[in-house]
Amino acid sequence: MNASRRPAHEEEPTASATAAAPGSRRPGGRTARTRAAVRDAVLTGLAEHGYPALTVEYVAEHSGVHKTTLYRRWGGVEGMVADALELAGEDEWTAPDTGSLAEDLRALAREVVDAFADPGQAAAPTAFVAAAFQSPRAADSLRAFYEERFRRCESVVDRAVARGEAPAGTDAGAVVRAVSAPLFLRLFVTREPVDTDVADQAARTVLAAVEAGAFTRQDARPA
């Protein structure tokens, strides 16, 4: 245990913290530091050992938070993984705004490639995906994370419709999912490499489909 960590007895949660669902609160101050330390330990553990080998004891040792606190606040490994994903979704990331649908789609696709091109950087998000296949709670949290990410990306399509680059009634959610779908297929199903050429191809394919009206909602099409 890191000697610079606070003593375990100082990390015990208050009654109000334990009353909530494990890992569901968004507190500040010392409790926020505790949450961040646990998140970092979870990410390290997932990257190094994967979900099946991640234990409360490992997180306690690497975070400096007593395992009794971990059980009380998060309920166990599932709760800690879910909360780590929730924390990841609380960032201020915004979708690209280049002024062009073509460039915005390409930027989105390239961000996926950039996130997984470096094995060290990709280890934690890859482990989150793997955990989702083994833990229903992790799956729910991963789904919520990407739902929020895609929601933020929809502005790319909304702006394109306003500029006349995409037909009115274009399904923004379907478009932004379609950009990353072939990349995730290669990354997690076929285990093929991805690079900027693959990213650009995915963006061009989606752009052509948008312009052809393939993503226009049925109820928005002329009778």
Side-chain angles (χ1 to χ4, degrees), residues 61-82:
E61 178 182 353
H62 288 76
S63 67
V65 181
H66 197 283
K67 66 179 182 180
T68 300
T69 299
L70 298 178
Y71 278 116
R72 286 181 180 175
R73 187 175 295 166
W74 285 276
V77 169
E78 273 197 322
M80 290 185 286
V81 170

Side-chain angles (χ1 to χ4, degrees), residues 106 109-110 113 179-180 182-184 186-187 192-205:
R106 183 165 68 170
R110 287 191 175 196
V113 172
V179 173
S180 57
L183 303 176
F184 285 130
R186 284 173 174 260
L187 287 165
E192 297 174 84
V194 295
D195 55 24
T196 55
D197 289 341
V198 174
D200 292 351
Q201 181 186 58
R204 288 195 304 271
T205 301

Side-chain angles (χ1 to χ4, degrees), residues 98-121:
T98 67
S100 159
L101 178 60
E103 291 303 315
D104 284 349
L105 293 178
R106 183 165 68 170
L108 285 174
R110 287 191 175 196
E111 281 199 28
V112 175
V113 172
D114 290 345
F116 291 95
D118 179 2
Q121 182 180 348

Side-chain angles (χ1 to χ4, degrees), residues 1-2 5 11 34 37-39 41 58-66 70:
M1 182 180 296
N2 191 323
R5 301 287 187 186
E11 300 290 358
T34 298
V38 170
R39 183 271 317 277
Y58 176 96
V59 176
E61 178 182 353
H62 288 76
S63 67
V65 181
H66 197 283
L70 298 178

Side-chain angles (χ1 to χ4, degrees), residues 116 122 125-127 129-130 133 146 183-192:
F116 291 95
T126 299
V129 174
F133 283 95
Y146 276 110
L183 303 176
F184 285 130
L185 172 69
R186 284 173 174 260
L187 287 165
F188 299 113
V189 180
T190 63
R191 305 297 292 172
E192 297 174 84

Side-chain angles (χ1 to χ4, degrees), residues 35-223:
R35 188 184 180 200
V38 170
R39 183 271 317 277
D40 291 345
V42 167
L43 291 176
T44 301
L46 286 174
E48 291 181 351
H49 306 294
Y51 180 77
L54 184 65
T55 64
V56 172
E57 288 75 16
Y58 176 96
V59 176
E61 178 182 353
H62 288 76
S63 67
V65 181
H66 197 283
K67 66 179 182 180
T68 300
T69 299
L70 298 178
Y71 278 116
R72 286 181 180 175
R73 187 175 295 166
W74 285 276
V77 169
E78 273 197 322
M80 290 185 286
V81 170
D83 193 51
L85 272 167
E86 182 180 333
L87 257 179
E90 292 176 4
D91 64 8
E92 297 181 356
W93 181 88
T94 57
D97 184 4
T98 67
S100 159
L101 178 60
E103 291 303 315
D104 284 349
L105 293 178
R106 183 165 68 170
L108 285 174
R110 287 191 175 196
E111 281 199 28
V112 175
V113 172
D114 290 345
F116 291 95
D118 179 2
Q121 182 180 348
T126 299
F128 273 132
V129 174
F133 283 95
Q134 301 169 71
S135 161
R137 186 168 179 186
D140 289 342
S141 297
L142 188 67
R143 186 180 307 112
F145 172 82
Y146 276 110
E147 283 178 353
E148 173 60 17
R149 272 294 190 269
F150 288 133
R151 185 194 64 76
R152 299 186 200 182
C153 291
E154 290 180 10
S155 60
V156 165
V157 181
D158 294 337
R159 290 192 298 264
V161 171
R163 291 192 299 259
E165 293 180 287
T170 296
D171 188 334
V175 171
V176 296
R177 284 168 172 79
V179 173
S180 57
L183 303 176
F184 285 130
L185 172 69
R186 284 173 174 260
L187 287 165
F188 299 113
V189 180
T190 63
R191 305 297 292 172
E192 297 174 84
V194 295
D195 55 24
T196 55
D197 289 341
V198 174
D200 292 351
Q201 181 186 58
R204 288 195 304 271
T205 301
V206 172
L207 177 65
V210 169
E211 293 174 341
F215 289 100
T216 306
R217 292 188 301 272
Q218 193 69 36
D219 58 2
R221 295 176 181 175

